[in-house]
Amino acid sequence: MTAKPAPPTDIEMPGVEATRRRLVFSGLAAAGLAGCGGGASPMGVSTAPASALGVPAGQTWRSLPLLTNESAAAGAFSGALAAAPASAAWAAGVSTQILAYNGISPGPMIEAHEGDRIRVALVNRLGQDTTIHWHGMPVPADQDGNPMDPVAPGSRRDYIFTLPPGSAGSYWYHPHPHRTTHEQVFRGLASAFVVRSRSDPLALLAERIVFITDLRLDANGQIAANTAADFSNGREGDQLLVNGVRQPVDAVAPGTTERWRIFNATNARYLQIVLDGATMNVVALDGSMLGAPKSVSVLLLAPAQRADIVVRAPLASGQKLTARTIPYSRGMGIPVKPGETLFELTTSAASALPAFALPSTLPSPPAFGAPQRTQTVVLNDMGMGMGMMGGAFTINGRVFDPERDDLTMRAGVPEDWVVRNDGMMDHPLHIHGCAFQLVASNRADIASGPRLGAFMDTVNVRPGETVRLRLSIDTPGRRMFHCHILEHEDQGMMAIVNVLA
Ligand code: C2O
Ligand code: CU
Ligand code: CU
């Protein structure tokens, strides 16, 4: 064993100027730096190309453990999450230092029902500030784990909120501290939060949680620090994990119908998913159901997006159902990851189960009233036209400032946001505290997919694309909106909408 991995607190981000150069000359910069001898630079940016220590594939399926509900009262959930350094046994014979909730990564899954009163105590045993953000969930702004509300090392805070009617869906939780979110997440802090409805038309289906993260280990089996290219492009790992396991396998009865809740919890990996052996019927995107199931042959999940799909296993025994990714190009000069197997199910010798009749309509959120005004949001990734003063990753030409309100809107009043990507790479825009509706895009192929008209909390916007979102945020307070490529978010591609009473 050689050097100990740098503790998370050593990580700093490269300066804006350095970032701009890297963005423009990322290939050259990476090659040049790699020649400098490798190892971690004083800035905490890894200069060595990761020499992948592989995680053995093909282990048995692992489900996420549930966070224990410590409340005995009906309609109440009370749990505790301690964020702390821990270790994981991924590569053979190596203990990998990670950051974990309650000792595991992904952390425990939280499961609750619409109407439940939630209390989650966060104990911060990291050496730095953290928060828990309830991604996509309609929680009050002051309970949403914003970067302006840090939880200091050694302290505890309780997040308290009630899940409103209509909030059932697949959400996730992760840290959201100022400038260090990307690292706390790629070192292991995140998990699923599933809100259930008592009138879910799909309640009888077996469910499979597919929580996808993206690991990159160094030659010592430790989580590699970000490279300069990671800060420009967003970090991509070199092995996808499902529920913390690489390419898990499982057996199912022939003809089984399952609902899969798929989470893209990676910092920057676009998951373009195909399924060999069955059709994917999309029933929900992010936290909201579609109005009707939509079958797709390819499902694109940008970072932070989720999809619920219904899948029926083949009817004969010994058949395979393989979920895998295919390459996706997300911008000029960004290396395209090869496709990778996610997991594989094999049908057992049991007799085939009968078909499940998928309802033809589903309870999607109600339509918004007429939008009262339109605001413009421009995403950019090079500070184009900003001279030497601009940041590399901006929203409406500016980098994030926690003191500034970038937009305002009225609580409960619907409006449209026209979002344009002037940059050179895809950016997944996420807005806190709401599900917005994608009402239009200038992209020709949008109509053939499941997203047009759907409600989401994160929308991918391609270079040159303009989308129109309709949204309403019901409760007052300051809400974040940002690119969910976490390196971009932490370098300033984030803004605040102040929702006024
Ligand atoms: Cu999933 Cu503001 O984040
Ligand atoms: Cu969020
Ligand atoms: Cu981005």
Side-chain angles (χ1 to χ4, degrees):
M1 278 316 238
T2 55
K4 259 186 71 155
T9 41
D10 283 359
I11 298 298
E12 291 162 27
M13 263 169 317
V16 163
E17 279 312 308
T19 304
R20 186 204 313 279
R21 280 198 312 276
R22 284 176 188 125
L23 190 65
V24 179
F25 302 116
S26 56
L28 286 174
L33 287 168
C36 296
S41 78
M43 297 192 75
V45 176
S46 165
T47 55
S51 96
L53 209 63
V55 178
Q59 299 160 61
T60 50
W61 187 268
R62 180 204 285 175
S63 300
L64 298 182
L66 287 178
L67 183 63
T68 306
N69 184 1
E70 292 160 2
S71 170
F77 182 96
S78 177
L81 292 171
S87 60
W90 276 313
V94 177
S95 166
T96 302
Q97 297 188 15
I98 62 170
L99 302 180
Y101 290 119
N102 296 359
I104 50 172
S105 177
M109 169 169 137
I110 303 178
E111 195 175 48
H113 281 85
E114 288 178 355
D116 284 357
R117 177 108 176 124
I118 309 293
R119 172 193 289 265
V120 178
L122 165 65
V123 177
N124 180 1
R125 297 209 188 96
L126 309 172
Q128 56 184 234
D129 286 353
T130 191
T131 75
I132 298 179
H133 168 56
W134 313 100
H135 181 116
M137 301 176 66
V139 315
D142 62 358
Q143 303 300 313
D144 209 15
N146 288 328
M148 299 84 82
D149 303 319
V151 178
S155 67
R156 162 186 165 152
R157 99 148 259 185
D158 289 12
Y159 293 97
I160 299 170
F161 49 91
T162 298
L163 298 169
S167 60
S170 304
Y171 304 98
W172 61 303
Y173 67 89
H174 62 77
H176 216 307
H178 192 32
R179 290 182 160 271
T180 48
T181 296
H182 69 283
E183 190 186 8
Q184 292 188 10
V185 174
F186 80 64
R187 290 190 184 276
L189 291 171
S191 193
F193 194 135
V194 172
V195 179
R196 300 192 178 280
S197 148
R198 310 249 176 222
S199 57
D200 184 342
L202 306 177
L204 292 178
L205 288 177
E207 288 197 8
R208 190 178 292 275
I209 301 290
V210 181
F211 195 85
I212 302 172
T213 56
D214 189 13
L215 184 66
R216 189 165 77 227
L217 299 178
D218 65 18
N220 298 321
Q222 301 305 315
I223 293 177
N226 265 1
T227 64
D230 292 331
F231 281 107
S232 296
N233 301 339
R235 176 194 182 91
E236 296 189 51
D238 49 26
Q239 35 202 339
L240 294 171
L241 303 181
V242 172
N243 302 343
V245 181
R246 183 158 164 76
Q247 300 177 352
V249 298
D250 201 1
V252 294
T256 305
T257 306
E258 292 187 344
R259 174 193 196 155
W260 296 352
R261 298 177 186 261
I262 310 176
F263 300 73
N264 184 345
T266 71
N267 277 29
R269 181 94 75 115
Y270 279 68
L271 301 172
Q272 186 150 45
I273 299 172
V274 296
L275 181 62
D276 301 330
T279 303
M280 297 185 281
N281 297 289
V282 182
V283 293
L285 292 170
D286 297 348
S288 302
M289 277 196 161
L290 303 183
K294 169 113 184 161
S295 72
V296 297
S297 52
V298 179
L299 175 67
L300 178 65
L301 289 185
Q305 288 183 328
R306 291 87 65 209
D308 293 19
I309 68 173
V310 174
V311 161
R312 188 174 189 213
L315 297 176
S317 300
Q319 303 295 301
K320 290 207 185 304
L321 204 52
T322 307
R324 58 188 173 88
T325 64
I326 58 174
Y328 178 80
S329 171
R330 59 187 181 88
M332 218 197 297
I334 301 181
V336 176
K337 287 276 172 193
E340 206 172 319
T341 296
L342 288 165
F343 62 92
E344 195 163 79
L345 308 183
T346 305
T347 52
S348 68
S351 49
L353 295 172
F356 174 88
L358 206 50
S360 56
T361 61
L362 296 167
S364 67
F368 292 114
Q372 298 302 298
R373 66 166 176 173
T374 298
Q375 309 209 59
T376 301
V377 173
V378 179
L379 312 176
N380 210 335
D381 54 35
M382 290 189 64
M384 289 283 225
M386 295 292 295
M388 299 308 279
M389 300 304 291
F393 297 99
T394 58
I395 293 182
N396 289 350
R398 302 195 281 201
V399 296
F400 178 63
D401 175 351
E403 305 294 322
R404 185 182 68 224
D405 292 341
D406 294 273
L407 301 178
T408 60
M409 61 193 289
R410 288 269 161 206
V413 178
E415 58 179 52
D416 279 3
W417 288 13
V418 171
V419 183
R420 191 175 85 226
N421 183 353
D422 281 355
M424 295 169 70
M425 61 178 99
D426 288 27
H427 296 287
L429 182 76
H430 168 52
I431 307 172
H432 285 202
C434 67
F436 51 75
Q437 187 179 25
L438 175 62
V439 297
S441 160
N442 66 343
R443 194 152 50 80
D445 59 353
I446 194 81
S448 60
R451 295 195 176 270
L452 188 63
F455 293 77
M456 297 173 267
D457 58 53
T458 305
V459 63
N460 190 45
V461 192
R462 305 216 66 184
E465 184 177 4
T466 299
V467 297
R468 178 178 286 265
L469 310 178
R470 190 153 299 158
L471 73 156
S472 170
I473 299 179
D474 294 334
T475 53
R478 301 174 82 217
R479 299 283 184 173
M480 326 306 299
F481 61 101
H482 58 88
C483 177
H484 220 289
I485 289 178
L486 296 179
E487 284 75 13
H488 296 174
E489 171 194 324
D490 277 339
Q491 287 171 91
M493 199 167 189
M494 176 154 69
I496 290 175
V497 53
N498 190 356
V499 181
L500 307 168

